Amino acid sequence: MRDFTLDFERPICELEDKIDELERLADNGQTGLDGEIERLRKKTDKLRSEVYSRLTRWQCVQLARHPARPYTLDYINRITTDFIELHGDRSFQDDRAIVAGLARWGPHRVAVIGQQKGRGTRENLQRNFAMSHPEGYRKALRVMKLSEKFGLPVVTLIDTPGAYPGIGAEERGQAAAIADNLLAMAQLKVPIVAVIIGEGGSGGALALGVADRVYMSEYAIYSVISPEGCASILFRDASRASQAAEALKLTGRDLLEYKLIDGLIDEPPGGAHNDPASAAKEVAEVVTAALDELLPLNHEERIEKRIDKYTRMGTWIEK
Amino acid sequence: MTPWFKRSRERLTTTSKRSIPDGVWVKCDACGEILYRKELDRLLNVCPKCRYHFRVPSDTYIELLLDSEGRTEHDTGLQAADPLKFRDTIKYPERVAKNVQASGMSDAVRCLTGNIDSRHVELAVMDFSFMGGSVGSVVGEKLCRAITRATKAPSPLITVACSGGMRMQEGVFSLMQMAKVSAVLARLSRVPQPFISVLTNPTTGGTTASFAMLGDVCVAEPQALIGFAGPRVIKQTIGQDLPEGFQSAEFLLEHGFLDMIVERSEMKKNISTLLDLLSPNE
Ligand SMILES: [Zn+2]
């Protein structure tokens, strides 16, 4: 049933498997198991809350990258109706690492844009492991301009290890594409709400992440560099990624404390992959509430507030 | 295969991390020519034989661009905090203190109000000698204030980038400086004042992927390494050698991401002419 289990998930999963087995026996008519099932349930809940209440930052990284974690299209399919995907940057190609389209998000008509990871090797190759080329960012920008024209707010779902570091990406202006999005998103006339649902990998994530409201799912991460990259540069040893993850303070809780994001979105016990439906419900509600708040403002006021928010980010000593 | 391709490739593999070495004689990083130090200084640290542009400190660029009259340097009292309590081989505040002491600067950018051929400008010059020109909160805030001054004056803005990207030791605070600087540039973009971005060797990472690529006009020095991902990361990812001249200023010009390549000795003249041509009121 489970294709992939993290080390720290295993003892919890073993208990869950035991409960499943007992329930199966009970279903088949065996009696007197209720007490034992109840006891195991309590034990599982206790163990889970113990494990998850003291997750290390590296364990959070592993959860953010969990292959069973819901991805952008999983959220779109659960949350929205009338989703129409739009393709291409009108210049070079359609970058499948980013999904963009129009949809209804609860009461709101929106443009929804996000990086898309693949399940399995074949899909991951198509999606390039959610590592976009410049065309992905340009497609995103095109759809943002489209939604600006029609007054639709933009929702972005962020989940990428980073922008793709390759020859074609550089030739076609990876840096310029990201920069253009930062500038354009800062002054887009419609509301923008961003949710980091998994991995917020550096500039490649930020290219969809300049927004009036930025939320992170409880076990998502957001970082200036991957823990592995940081470890190999600063500690000269990629295997010290868990140490780097601690040093980088890359969890949602960290960033909320630093006031670099606007809120955390609760995940179901054990993480979004344990209950994708309720994970999606939480995301849907938080985004809808944010849009309800943002839509009544006039666009000039909204843009000024958005820019002001970013100008406050940073910490320094002034002598 | 043109000669500069070869040279810039050599630079990629040997990477000249140091700026100009001290001493009477200097060996050109690119062509190997032995040069007399004083002569090289007189030539703005450009090799007379192969035109290789040695990396220069912010002082040199400030002297190069601004008239000697009417300069004011801003925000020299801003120093890095340590929000993450970051420690790699040493603690981040120790690293900062070492860099402050060695460079005499408070961080990796210097911002001045001054004049270019008597035209009032805001100038921000990065300095690679301070932690590889990495961008953290101080650089972000100083750029933000310079951009805000240019917006309010209003006056032209000139940035000279020389940076390996965002500063890891400040984590997401650093990453957000890309958004912060771009967001205030959005304000400047509503004022009809030119923003000229000068890219020097090297300009990579989040620096390129934010303000350095957002100039109304983007100008680079010859052979400068410019890109998003560093050459080593790309090589590792794709598992093959990079084409010759990859990520050089010439490569970016060819692919349409720069307006022009200008030799250091011609930089002031070119910027001055651009300001004349773009100035809102003549
Ligand atoms: Zn030379």
Side-chain angles (χ1 to χ4, degrees):
Chain A
M1 179 181 158
R2 294 183 188 88
D3 293 332
F4 184 88
T5 319
L6 294 167
D7 284 346
F8 60 90
E9 289 183 304
R10 196 158 297 133
I12 302 165
C13 291
E14 279 165 7
L15 284 171
E16 283 172 339
D17 288 346
K18 215 177 274 175
I19 294 168
D20 283 350
E21 200 185 314
L22 289 177
E23 280 179 331
R24 217 175 11 254
L25 290 174
D27 284 348
N28 289 339
Q30 195 166 331
T31 53
L33 294 173
D34 290 359
E36 177 64 3
I37 290 172
E38 189 51 30
R39 193 186 66 81
L40 283 176
R41 277 223 177 90
K42 277 190 181 141
K43 194 175 165 188
T44 311
D45 289 346
K46 186 159 170 272
L47 179 64
R48 189 189 290 115
S49 68
E50 267 171 29
V51 170
Y52 280 76
S53 67
R54 49 182 165 76
L55 278 185
T56 64
R57 292 187 176 87
W58 178 244
Q59 287 172 325
C60 191
V61 171
Q62 292 173 296
L63 281 173
R65 294 172 175 171
H66 201 296
R69 198 169 168 83
Y71 296 153
T72 289
L73 277 173
D74 299 317
Y75 282 102
I76 291 175
N77 290 333
R78 283 179 191 277
I79 294 170
T80 72
T81 52
D82 294 345
F83 175 62
I84 303 275
E85 188 174 350
L86 303 173
H87 293 276
D89 69 340
R90 296 289 192 274
S91 177
F92 186 76
Q93 68 175 349
D94 184 40
D95 187 338
R96 300 200 60 204
I98 287 185
V99 167
L102 303 171
R104 288 180 195 276
W105 187 294
H108 304 292
R109 295 182 302 165
V110 300
V112 56
I113 304 167
Q115 291 98 348
Q116 177 65 37
K117 291 184 175 178
R119 295 207 191 278
T121 312
R122 217 181 111 228
E123 202 197 340
N124 254 320
L125 290 175
Q126 286 173 354
R127 301 290 185 186
N128 200 32
F129 301 86
M131 290 186 285
S132 175
H133 283 74
E135 296 77 37
Y137 302 119
R138 293 189 180 120
K139 169 167 70 176
L141 183 55
R142 181 176 77 80
V143 172
M144 287 185 228
K145 293 284 182 190
L146 177 73
S147 53
E148 183 177 54
K149 179 175 170 184
F150 292 96
L152 308 180
V154 174
V155 178
T156 65
L157 301 172
I158 294 167
D159 189 13
T160 177
Y164 185 66
I167 290 176
E170 294 288 322
E171 273 176 347
R172 302 195 299 275
Q174 189 73 288
I178 294 170
D180 286 345
N181 280 22
L182 303 183
L183 183 71
M185 292 182 86
Q187 55 187 338
L188 202 75
K189 292 195 176 88
V190 291
I192 310 174
V193 178
V195 183
I196 296 115
I197 55 170
E199 270 187 283
S202 196
L206 188 64
L208 298 185
V210 178
D212 298 295
R213 298 276 191 279
V214 179
Y215 299 100
M216 283 177 73
S217 292
E218 192 175 358
Y219 303 121
I221 56 164
Y222 203 178
S223 186
V224 67
I225 186 170
S226 71
E228 291 84 353
C230 178
S232 74
I233 295 169
L234 290 186
F235 307 130
R236 306 192 190 284
D237 180 0
S239 67
R240 290 165 73 184
S242 62
Q243 188 188 343
E246 283 304 313
L248 285 166
K249 309 273 198 295
L250 39 58
T251 68
R253 269 176 239 287
D254 291 323
L255 299 201
L256 187 64
E257 190 191 316
Y258 296 143
K259 299 192 172 69
L260 295 175
I261 57 167
D262 298 289
L264 272 185
I265 301 180
D266 289 339
E267 291 190 27
H273 59 288
N274 278 329
D275 187 355
S278 50
K281 192 164 166 281
E282 285 290 331
V283 169
E285 282 169 8
V286 169
V287 170
T288 302
L291 291 176
D292 290 341
E293 266 178 50
L294 291 165
L295 278 162
L297 305 175
N298 82 49
H299 69 85
E300 277 155 16
E301 188 184 352
R302 206 163 41 219
I303 291 168
E304 287 312 300
K305 281 188 172 174
R306 191 187 300 154
I307 295 175
D308 282 341
K309 178 177 90 164
Y310 283 97
T311 61
R312 285 191 298 270
M313 291 185 187
T315 159
W316 58 85
I317 301 158
E318 188 150 20
K319 284 175 183 159
Chain B
M1 200 191 299
T2 48
W4 68 261
F5 271 132
K6 200 155 192 240
R7 281 193 300 274
S8 93
R9 184 185 162 88
E10 275 165 19
R11 271 194 299 118
L12 287 189
T13 46
T14 57
T15 47
S16 52
K17 283 253 165 73
R18 69 218 131 95
S19 42
I20 314 130
D22 290 324
V24 181
W25 298 98
V26 182
K27 190 177 169 192
C28 175
D29 287 342
C31 71
E33 183 81 353
I34 306 294
L35 304 162
Y36 186 46
R37 171 75 205 239
K38 278 196 178 145
E39 174 70 358
L40 190 58
D41 281 344
R42 200 184 58 76
L43 296 170
L44 301 168
N45 290 290
V46 176
C47 171
K49 193 176 168 216
C50 74
R51 313 308 298 163
Y52 172 68
H53 283 51
F54 285 77
R55 187 175 298 140
V56 291
S58 48
D59 275 337
T60 307
Y61 241 96
I62 292 165
E63 287 304 318
L64 184 75
L65 291 182
L66 291 184
D67 302 348
S68 48
E69 301 293 306
R71 297 179 189 171
T72 316
E73 184 162 359
H74 300 281
D75 307 317
T76 52
L78 260 64
Q79 269 195 28
D82 182 20
L84 270 51
K85 306 268 172 276
F86 197 94
R87 183 194 183 117
D88 45 84
T89 46
I90 59 170
K91 287 180 178 165
Y92 178 48
E94 282 174 41
R95 191 176 291 285
V96 169
K98 278 186 181 173
N99 276 269
V100 168
Q101 197 166 27
S103 69
M105 294 177 294
S106 75
D107 212 301
V109 72
R110 293 175 61 199
C111 298
L112 293 93
T113 303
N115 298 287
I116 292 181
D117 293 335
S118 305
R119 187 188 297 280
H120 185 89
V121 298
E122 294 296 332
L123 173 68
V125 182
M126 301 195 70
D127 199 309
F128 198 80
S129 69
F130 196 105
M131 290 187 75
S134 57
V135 176
S137 298
V138 171
V139 173
E141 177 65 13
K142 286 178 80 166
L143 288 171
C144 180
R145 291 183 190 183
I147 295 162
T148 305
R149 281 193 298 273
T151 309
K152 284 187 177 155
S155 66
L157 170 75
I158 295 128
T159 60
V160 180
C162 190
S163 165
M166 299 297 116
R167 189 174 294 171
M168 281 174 275
Q169 290 88 345
E170 289 183 33
V172 180
F173 282 98
S174 293
L175 182 64
M176 288 306 141
Q177 302 312 306
M178 293 171 67
K180 171 171 172 168
V181 174
S182 304
V184 281
L185 280 174
R187 277 189 181 139
L188 178 65
S189 72
R190 294 181 217 146
V191 179
Q193 287 289 340
F195 163 31
I196 295 168
S197 169
V198 180
L199 296 88
T200 71
N201 184 40
T203 302
T204 58
T207 304
T208 322
S210 60
F211 66 94
M213 274 290 154
L214 291 175
D216 294 308
V217 179
C218 294
V219 186
E221 284 193 346
Q223 302 176 31
L225 172 72
I226 302 166
F228 178 61
R232 233 171 313 161
V233 173
I234 298 171
K235 209 175 146 181
Q236 241 172 42
T237 308
I238 63 174
Q240 51 185 328
D241 284 336
L242 302 175
E244 298 197 340
F246 183 63
Q247 294 184 313
S248 65
E250 291 75 8
F251 173 93
L252 268 85
L253 183 75
E254 189 189 326
H255 285 93
F257 293 99
L258 290 174
D259 289 285
M260 54 190 187
I261 295 172
V262 173
E263 287 224 0
R264 197 171 283 160
S265 57
E266 299 293 302
M267 195 61 85
K268 179 166 182 171
K269 199 180 106 205
N270 272 275
I271 291 176
S272 184
T273 307
L274 279 169
L275 297 182
D276 281 344
L277 293 170
L278 291 170
S279 166
N281 33 13
E282 189 166 54

